[in-house]
Amino acid sequence: MARMGMVFDLKTCIGCNACVVACKQENSLPDGVFFTKTLSEEYGVFPLANRVYIPTICNHCDDAPCEKVCPSGATYTRHDGIVMVDDAKCIGCSSCAVACPYDQRTTMDADNFLKGLFGTGEITPFEKEGYARYTPGTVTKCDFCSQRVDANLDPACVVTCPTNARIFGDLDDPHSAPSKMIRERNGRPPMPEKNTRPKVYYVN
Amino acid sequence: MTTAPPTANSLKSGRWIASTCKMCLHSCGNLIHVTDTGVINKIEGNPSNPSNNGKLCPKGNAAIMRHYDPNRFKQPMRRTNPEKGVGIDPMWEPISWEEALEYTAAQIKKSLDEDPRKILPSLEDFQKFNIWAWPLSFGNFNFYQSGGTMCGGAYHPVNGFIHSAFACANDAKHCNYWINNGTGDGFSSHLHAAAQANWVAKARTERGMRVVAVEPRLSIAAAKAEEWVPIRPATDRHFAMGMSHVLVYEGLCDYRALKRDTNAPYLVGEDGYFIRDDNRQCYIWDKKNQCAKLWNDETIEEIALEGNYEFNGKPCRPAFQVYKDILADCSPEAMEKITTVPADTIRRIAREFARAAQIGATIKVEDGRTLPLRPAAYNYYRGAQGHKHGAQTNHSFKLVNMLIGNIDTPGGHMGVTLDPKEVDFNHCSMGESGMLKPTPHQLGPVPGFHYPPSTYHMMDYFPLGVHPPHFNLLMHENREKFGVEFTPDVIVNCHSNPVWAIHGSREKWFEFLRGMRFIVCVDIIPTEMTDFADVILPSHDVLESWNCTMIEPPHTEGQCFRQPATPPLHDTKSEEDIFYELSERLGILEAYNNVINLTLGFEGHPELMLELDKKYTDKEIARRKGLLWDGNDIEYYMEHGHSVTEKRLDKWYRPWEGCRLHFYIEDYLVERDKLKQQMEDANVPFRHEWEWDDYQPLPSSTLDPVHEEPPEYDLYAITFKDIQLNFGESLSNPWIKDIVYRDPVHTGLLLNPKTAAAQGLEKGSIVKVESPYGRLYGRISVSEGMHPETLGVSNALSRMKSKAAGVLPAGGHYNDMLPYDLKNTDAASAQPETVCKVKLTRLDDWPDFLKQGRTVYDLVEDYETAKGKGGHH
């Protein structure tokens, strides 16, 4: 059985946010909603200051706190390890958003869909068609573009990344690109102290 | 079991169309997905295009939001509100195309009949040179667009001198030591940003290429670099000359290359000109035989690069020695005082650079040639080159490269043609005395000398250089002084926003525009400029139109094809239709077709040449451009979306083989003296004010005048863009806005925290920023990634209140603080200074004009207080 995961290469990520916009395109996200983000963190003191660009995404934890707290069974883990939300079952209680230590869940408020991307109340044909997938009042998040994965395609954020800073594949396959990268470059999961066993790793 | 229809946009039932991006001027290959219901819902990079390898930058990913922008111009319109200004509703009245074209043509014709120079073109479609070149149809050389000196006033001519090419890049495929000075190349900007970032990331991870970024701000390139070298603004040339001092005085040069492949050994007389014989042939000193011999004399036994000699009773030196003498005063210690970069750092980087260059090493490339391998290169762009002494500055960077023999060499510093078809027109050819024929006019013909001036931006006095649009304002304010005999009263504008972009006070530019009798804008969405238009002629967008182009690709060649993914959403036309319709009504159709034949290279190809009395569609012109490149007809291009391949190596590596490169650019003196004589003969009253010292055959260590502003202006200010904001309009796009204003470098005026404290300021302080030339207002952000003498102002803080939703003002425009005078403009290239000195004053509150309506800072506050929207930590 596969265990799909992602590695972020902090050496090459240029913080361009092409991934973020590709995600917005693929998933028809309303204004201000993100399934992935790139943080920009400065550290050090001049002249030795530096900045690191940190991509963030749902970590599809093996031991997902969001799944554990979900009272309706809306959150579940797929056969390949992708953590999903079934919005037909979601009651919008937001317990998962509170439980997620990575703040990767968003409640889709109805007004997200009313003001439109341009904030004018005018809904573009792109939005009209794309918003149909969402149920207002439910909670949503990144699903690694699960339908693309089913079609043997990488997630939208991965294919567009100019610097190949996002590497996607089966972590159970020791020969997969992410497995090799985690092994060879000492990949670390985010916030390991939370014991959530993320399927997302960072290398530098 | 029935499968539910997919919800992921790229998987919905529909078709993919192979096309080309135009969210910046470059031309990345893309794939556009259109659903069965006709909605464009996903754009991805085209993986079959070896230029961008399936990658797209954030802007390329955001083209859908331009297409469906509800603020798009939906039909031709005429202004009914006589009051013009940014944010003032023009009260558009829809009119028919016929009426709009008739009315517009009549307005233009009035000026065309009176004096064609009264027309001020502002045509900035860099993917359609057939539109850009339209004014040549009536002999008009005016220029009011923000390209030109706002990108690379001195950069392009110097590339024309050194590589006979438009742009330049480092060879990411072989380079191991990459210096980026004031540029985002390979990380965040410039040539095919996503493509070059892809190449550079591979070089860094696969070969461990080392990157050194030299600039006042911790940019993306600097953040990724192995070493960030903070530098005082406008001293980049001095850093380069400090490095060159080390290379020359420590003997770290590729002497073989300098002797054989450059004019560095040519003997220079005391007047700065080469020593020549009666046939204008240059001389080289033969050290062995202790005499001067003609450059091509086969009996030369030992070429001298150094030394002082006498020829025909007159003292002379090899050009290399001339530079060595200049560099005597440019020790790392001396340059430290100017740049603030420690002498040890300059010295170490020069040595590392020379060591990485592997002088003497060779490589066998795939076309069978054995070439020098020089895997170290110094690249630069707007931030480093945009200074008063732009020509010398660009030249100083080229010389760092030339000293190690890396010009157009594997691993080195490469010339990049504007359009790959140029390489088939022999873009490199032999000039005088064995030297590469220089091609400094990379953007087309220039008007030549006239007095009184024939152009409103004084291009008559820049025999070498790129059009200086900022001089339209200087001329306008000093008409008598410059002796101009006409006043532009019509602006023809296409995809250009000069009133947003050009140096000088916005208020003065607004007045300039209000003085126009008629302004027509061909555009897609409202901008600051369209708020001044009398008529809007709306064009198709990139997803609705045809084109075929390739703009300065670093590693590839071919043509990128654009085709409609959807019929036009609105009652719009292609730029071709619009300019043909206007040309016909103006009686210049034949001249226009002539210009297109010349500009696009159809001339000389009878089967492709446009018939002079006909009008052509965007589709037909695109078809002919494809045929011109490789003989493939439109069906091929419609299927593949491009004909891009890896660059032919003989056109990429040493395309000038057999010619000598211009180490010493004598043409600066030739053109200076020619212009001096022309001005003298015509008794040009301002000739004594002309900055004649700017013309130098080699860089000097002269300071740019920005360093000599009154001491009360105690900080430098710089402006910058990043990959989300590259080139033109970005921030009306909601997806771009949603990422830009969450990035801390774009949401405040950046100041080093120690500097802020010394100024009595902290994060959040509201300040007035004043230069000797203008002012802006803003809110301080502190960053350890700022040189302590420098205030950083993102271009994302430069927009003005406009009808376009999502574009928010932030307190003024950085470019208001820049001078637009002769003193701060390079006479040798027309490059204006892009750094200014400023003083900060703390304010208790925003000025009144910023309290009316939302600003960037209001939006940022909304973002900071929003919770539970995903990704907050």
Side-chain angles (χ1 to χ4, degrees):
Chain A
M1 208 154 64
R3 214 174 130 255
M4 304 311 287
M6 197 178 286
V7 181
F8 293 124
D9 188 345
L10 299 182
K11 181 180 168 82
T12 62
C13 176
I14 53 175
C16 75
N17 285 280
C19 50
V20 174
V21 182
C23 172
K24 283 173 171 282
Q25 278 202 78
E26 185 68 274
N27 297 301
S28 295
L29 295 180
D31 197 42
V33 176
F34 297 84
F35 287 173
T36 183
K37 268 189 171 179
T38 310
L39 310 179
S40 166
E41 298 290 336
E42 199 178 283
Y43 62 93
V45 176
F46 180 90
L48 299 176
N50 207 346
R51 189 185 307 113
V52 61
Y53 300 104
I54 310 168
T56 63
I57 201 167
C58 169
N59 295 299
H60 297 273
C61 307
D62 282 347
D63 202 355
C66 55
E67 187 174 350
K68 282 193 212 158
V69 299
C70 179
S72 64
T75 296
Y76 65 100
T77 301
R78 236 168 66 140
H79 61 95
D80 56 1
I82 298 178
V83 178
M84 306 286 291
V85 181
D86 179 350
D87 63 355
K89 291 185 184 165
C90 176
I91 57 169
C93 71
S94 298
S95 306
C96 53
V98 176
C100 173
Y102 307 101
D103 195 11
Q104 287 295 337
R105 288 186 163 246
T106 303
T107 304
M108 289 293 209
D109 300 330
D111 63 346
N112 277 335
F113 304 105
L114 298 177
K115 63 180 183 181
L117 286 167
F118 288 86
T120 58
E122 195 165 337
I123 305 300
T124 63
F126 171 87
E127 292 166 89
K128 206 171 280 175
E129 198 169 88
Y131 287 165
R133 66 185 277 189
Y134 296 110
T135 309
T138 63
V139 175
T140 184
K141 68 168 191 73
C142 159
D143 67 349
F144 274 159
C145 290
S146 58
Q147 293 178 347
R148 287 180 64 106
V149 175
D150 292 342
N152 278 321
L153 296 169
D154 275 341
C157 58
V158 173
V159 295
T160 205
C161 177
T163 61
N164 302 325
R166 291 173 172 245
I167 295 98
F168 183 74
D170 179 6
L171 302 184
D172 273 352
D173 173 3
H175 304 294
S176 74
S179 294
K180 271 198 247 174
M181 202 168 224
I182 293 165
R183 205 164 52 236
E184 288 165 14
R185 292 176 59 189
N186 190 26
R188 310 176 304 278
M191 297 160 81
E193 70 279 7
K194 299 287 180 189
N195 296 315
T196 60
R197 298 170 55 219
K199 287 193 281 290
V200 168
Y201 289 78
Y202 292 83
V203 298
N204 206 342
Chain B
M1 183 179 138
T2 53
T3 316
T7 53
N9 283 345
S10 62
L11 299 174
K12 289 178 182 168
S13 182
R15 65 207 167 96
W16 289 94
I17 291 153
S19 194
T20 296
C21 187
K22 197 210 164 191
M23 288 299 281
C24 81
L25 60 92
H26 294 115
S27 41
C28 288
N30 62 14
L31 296 171
I32 299 164
H33 190 249
V34 192
T35 64
D36 292 341
T37 52
V39 176
I40 297 178
N41 70 349
K42 185 82 198 294
I43 297 177
E44 300 186 354
N46 184 347
S48 77
N49 186 322
S51 177
N52 58 307
N53 285 313
K55 309 302 186 183
L56 285 181
C57 76
K59 287 188 70 172
N61 266 291
I64 292 175
M65 284 299 112
R66 174 69 42 86
H67 179 67
Y68 287 122
D69 188 337
N71 296 299
R72 269 186 73 177
F73 295 128
K74 300 180 179 71
Q75 69 281 306
M77 298 187 295
R78 183 163 50 194
R79 157 186 298 277
T80 62
N81 182 0
E83 194 195 345
K84 290 181 176 181
V86 173
I88 299 173
D89 188 349
M91 298 182 173
W92 296 117
E93 153 192 77
I95 52 176
S96 71
W97 270 105
E98 184 56 27
E99 193 182 356
L101 291 165
E102 282 292 326
Y103 179 66
T104 300
Q107 297 297 322
I108 299 173
K109 184 109 175 44
K110 189 167 184 302
S111 298
L112 187 65
D113 289 345
E114 284 168 16
D115 183 345
R117 298 174 302 180
K118 292 177 76 170
I119 298 166
L120 201 54
S122 180
L123 311 172
E124 195 124 45
D125 194 328
F126 221 73
Q127 291 196 358
K128 289 189 172 179
F129 285 102
N130 45 315
I131 304 299
W132 173 289
W134 180 72
L136 296 176
S137 315
F138 44 96
N140 178 305
F141 284 91
N142 283 329
F143 187 96
Y144 180 53
Q145 58 228 46
S146 54
T149 51
M150 296 306 291
C151 59
Y155 173 83
H156 300 302
V158 173
N159 288 329
F161 273 119
I162 302 298
H163 309 274
S164 191
F166 180 73
C168 59
N170 290 347
D171 181 14
K173 286 194 186 173
H174 296 285
C175 187
N176 292 326
Y177 194 97
W178 176 298
I179 297 179
N180 249 18
N181 185 183
T183 180
D185 271 272
F187 298 92
S188 63
S189 63
H190 207 195
L191 311 181
H192 294 241
Q196 188 72 334
N198 188 239
W199 290 108
V200 164
K202 278 186 220 160
R204 294 179 63 232
T205 50
E206 291 170 11
R207 292 200 310 280
M209 181 176 81
R210 185 175 174 82
V211 177
V212 176
V214 183
E215 49 186 311
R217 182 182 76 91
L218 182 75
S219 64
I220 293 175
K224 303 317 293 181
E226 276 61 37
E227 182 172 3
W228 171 42
V229 181
I231 185 168
R232 177 182 285 155
T235 65
D236 311 275
R237 171 166 40 99
H238 301 87
F239 176 82
M241 292 180 76
M243 275 185 71
S244 295
H245 173 98
V246 177
L247 298 175
V248 165
Y249 282 89
E250 296 189 7
L252 301 175
C253 304
D254 185 342
Y255 295 102
R256 187 169 183 272
L258 287 166
K259 286 175 186 174
R260 290 163 47 109
D261 294 336
T262 79
N263 67 10
Y266 284 16
L267 293 174
V268 177
E270 278 191 311
D271 59 359
Y273 281 81
F274 289 130
I275 306 278
R276 286 190 164 85
D277 75 355
D278 292 343
N279 295 320
R280 295 196 48 78
Q281 299 300 304
C282 297
Y283 286 94
I284 283 173
W285 192 263
D286 185 342
K287 231 156 105 178
K288 186 107 178 246
N289 297 301
Q290 283 299 305
C291 65
K293 292 182 180 174
L294 285 175
W295 67 276
N296 51 0
D297 187 329
E298 284 174 7
T299 69
I300 298 175
E301 290 191 75
E302 193 182 345
I303 292 173
L305 282 175
E306 301 185 19
N308 288 282
Y309 306 103
E310 212 178 275
F311 183 58
N312 289 341
K314 287 182 182 157
C316 58
R317 296 172 285 175
F320 183 85
Q321 180 67 45
V322 180
Y323 198 39
K324 188 173 181 180
D325 291 344
I326 293 170
L327 292 173
D329 295 331
C330 300
S331 67
E333 285 72 19
M335 296 300 100
E336 173 178 347
K337 292 197 184 93
I338 294 171
T339 61
T340 74
V341 179
D344 289 348
T345 304
I346 300 175
R347 188 168 278 114
R348 174 178 51 77
I349 289 171
R351 289 172 181 165
E352 287 174 2
F353 184 70
R355 192 161 50 244
Q358 302 181 29
I359 294 167
T362 57
I363 183 172
K364 189 161 184 185
V365 292
E366 285 152 36
D367 65 3
R369 288 181 297 166
T370 297
L371 299 176
L373 173 68
R374 296 289 176 276
Y378 190 122
N379 203 34
Y380 58 92
Y381 191 47
R382 158 72 189 270
Q385 78 87 34
H387 304 304
K388 152 70 177 177
H389 292 108
Q392 294 180 46
T393 301
N394 279 270
H395 196 183
S396 73
F397 304 142
K398 291 293 186 214
L399 289 176
V400 175
N401 288 307
M402 209 181 286
L403 285 171
I404 61 159
N406 79 357
I407 301 290
D408 298 326
T409 291
H413 182 71
M414 317 296 294
V416 176
T417 52
L418 178 54
D419 184 317
K421 76 176 186 292
E422 287 166 8
V423 303
D424 289 328
F425 297 165
N426 289 324
H427 74 293
C428 291
S429 61
M430 181 72 85
E432 267 203 338
S433 265
M435 293 180 279
L436 175 66
K437 186 177 175 193
T439 55
H441 300 300
Q442 288 285 323
L443 276 171
V446 289
F449 177 84
H450 297 84
Y451 185 80
S454 73
T455 57
Y456 213 57
H457 61 304
M458 298 203 277
M459 193 58 191
D460 309 69
Y461 314 116
F462 293 94
L464 301 171
V466 170
H467 295 272
H470 59 297
F471 277 170
N472 284 296
L473 192 52
L474 184 68
M475 179 74 93
H476 201 64
E477 292 181 334
N478 301 277
R479 296 177 41 84
E480 227 165 275
K481 173 179 173 178
F482 294 115
V484 70
E485 291 180 334
F486 62 93
T487 310
D489 63 355
V490 164
I491 290 179
V492 181
N493 177 282
C494 177
H495 304 318
S496 181
N497 193 356
V499 74
W500 169 45
I502 301 176
H503 283 51
S505 147
R506 288 321 94 184
E507 287 301 329
K508 288 180 179 175
W509 283 117
F510 297 162
E511 276 313 304
F512 178 79
L513 292 183
R514 288 190 189 108
M516 296 291 153
R517 180 173 56 78
F518 179 76
I519 299 175
V520 57
C521 287
V522 177
D523 219 325
I524 296 167
I525 52 165
T527 67
E528 285 85 344
M529 188 65 194
T530 63
D531 279 355
F532 289 88
D534 294 283
V535 166
I536 299 292
L537 301 178
S539 70
H540 301 333
D541 83 341
V542 68
L543 304 178
E544 303 163 337
S545 52
W546 301 87
N547 195 32
C548 189
T549 192
M550 176 66 123
I551 304 291
E552 42 182 6
H555 305 289
T556 50
E557 61 182 14
Q559 293 294 309
C560 300
F561 193 74
R562 182 203 302 175
Q563 59 183 317
T566 168
L569 283 182
H570 308 295
D571 184 13
T572 54
K573 285 187 187 295
S574 70
E575 295 87 355
E576 281 81 355
D577 281 351
I578 292 169
F579 280 87
Y580 268 120
E581 290 298 328
L582 291 176
S583 297
E584 187 178 42
R585 287 168 170 80
L586 292 168
I588 56 167
L589 183 59
E590 297 198 355
Y592 185 35
N593 274 320
N594 248 327
V595 165
I596 298 178
N597 281 331
L598 283 167
T599 305
L600 298 186
F602 298 154
E603 192 76 26
H605 299 268
E607 74 286 7
L608 299 179
M609 273 179 70
L610 307 177
E611 289 179 48
L612 298 186
D613 58 347
K614 285 197 174 154
K615 296 181 285 185
Y616 293 88
T617 60
D618 54 345
K619 182 179 182 181
E620 180 57 23
I621 288 180
R623 185 182 81 91
R624 292 182 190 221
K625 286 193 79 180
L627 283 166
L628 176 67
W629 170 254
D630 62 1
N632 277 313
D633 212 330
I634 197 162
E635 292 76 22
Y636 176 90
Y637 279 95
M638 287 175 70
E639 184 186 345
H640 296 92
H642 67 90
S643 55
V644 179
T645 55
E646 302 252 333
K647 228 165 211 162
R648 285 162 289 173
L649 293 181
D650 60 326
K651 307 289 186 186
W652 179 230
Y653 295 131
R654 296 168 69 93
W656 37 262
E657 191 72 67
C659 303
R660 288 172 179 271
L661 300 173
H662 292 261
F663 179 93
Y664 190 90
I665 308 181
E666 189 200 37
D667 284 55
Y668 280 117
L669 302 182
V670 174
E671 294 296 338
R672 177 197 65 189
D673 292 344
K674 203 162 102 193
L675 179 64
K676 245 184 194 174
Q677 193 59 52
Q678 286 166 327
M679 282 198 176
E680 204 62 43
D681 292 347
N683 205 17
V684 175
F686 51 88
R687 64 191 184 279
H688 305 299
E689 233 184 282
W690 208 250
E691 302 266 317
W692 298 110
D693 287 346
D694 294 357
Y695 299 84
Q696 296 292 336
L698 283 167
S700 76
S701 58
T702 300
L703 280 179
D704 293 313
V706 64
H707 300 289
E708 287 147 14
E709 299 290 5
E712 64 190 282
Y713 300 98
D714 55 349
L715 289 173
Y716 292 87
I718 60 164
T719 188
F720 61 90
K721 290 186 176 182
D722 268 343
I723 190 162
Q724 309 91 329
L725 292 166
N726 264 335
F727 296 102
E729 216 292 322
S730 308
L731 287 163
S732 67
N733 188 304
W735 286 339
I736 297 298
K737 184 198 69 181
D738 218 0
I739 57 173
V740 166
Y741 292 126
R742 290 172 201 273
D743 185 333
V745 304
H746 299 301
T747 57
L749 307 176
L750 303 174
L751 208 52
N752 186 291
K754 287 198 184 68
T755 311
Q759 298 259 345
L761 302 170
E762 69 257 334
K763 180 179 187 313
S765 300
I766 297 169
V767 290
K768 178 167 71 174
V769 185
E770 289 172 285
S771 84
Y773 312 97
R775 71 178 58 166
L776 61 80
Y777 299 86
R779 197 168 71 183
I780 294 293
S781 282
V782 293
S783 165
E784 294 284 353
M786 287 303 300
H787 187 282
E789 298 175 3
T790 308
L791 180 80
V793 187
S794 167
N795 180 264
L797 304 175
S798 68
R799 298 308 295 267
M800 282 160 275
K801 206 174 287 180
S802 168
K803 270 202 77 187
V807 177
L808 295 170
H813 195 315
Y814 174 85
N815 290 357
D816 275 38
M817 303 197 296
L818 296 173
Y820 52 93
D821 55 10
L822 293 178
K823 183 183 170 192
N824 287 283
T825 299
D826 186 12
S829 71
Q831 174 65 49
E833 182 58 61
T834 58
V835 166
C836 56
K837 291 295 291 283
V838 296
K839 62 181 175 188
L840 307 182
T841 311
R842 185 178 186 139
L843 304 178
D844 294 330
D845 197 2
W846 292 107
D848 285 343
F849 82 94
L850 284 172
K851 289 181 186 166
Q852 297 153 12
R854 270 166 79 74
T855 68
V856 168
Y857 299 107
D858 296 323
L859 178 74
V860 172
E861 268 164 31
D862 288 353
Y863 285 167
E864 283 167 358
T865 52
K867 287 287 172 217
K869 297 293 184 193
H872 291 283
H873 286 249

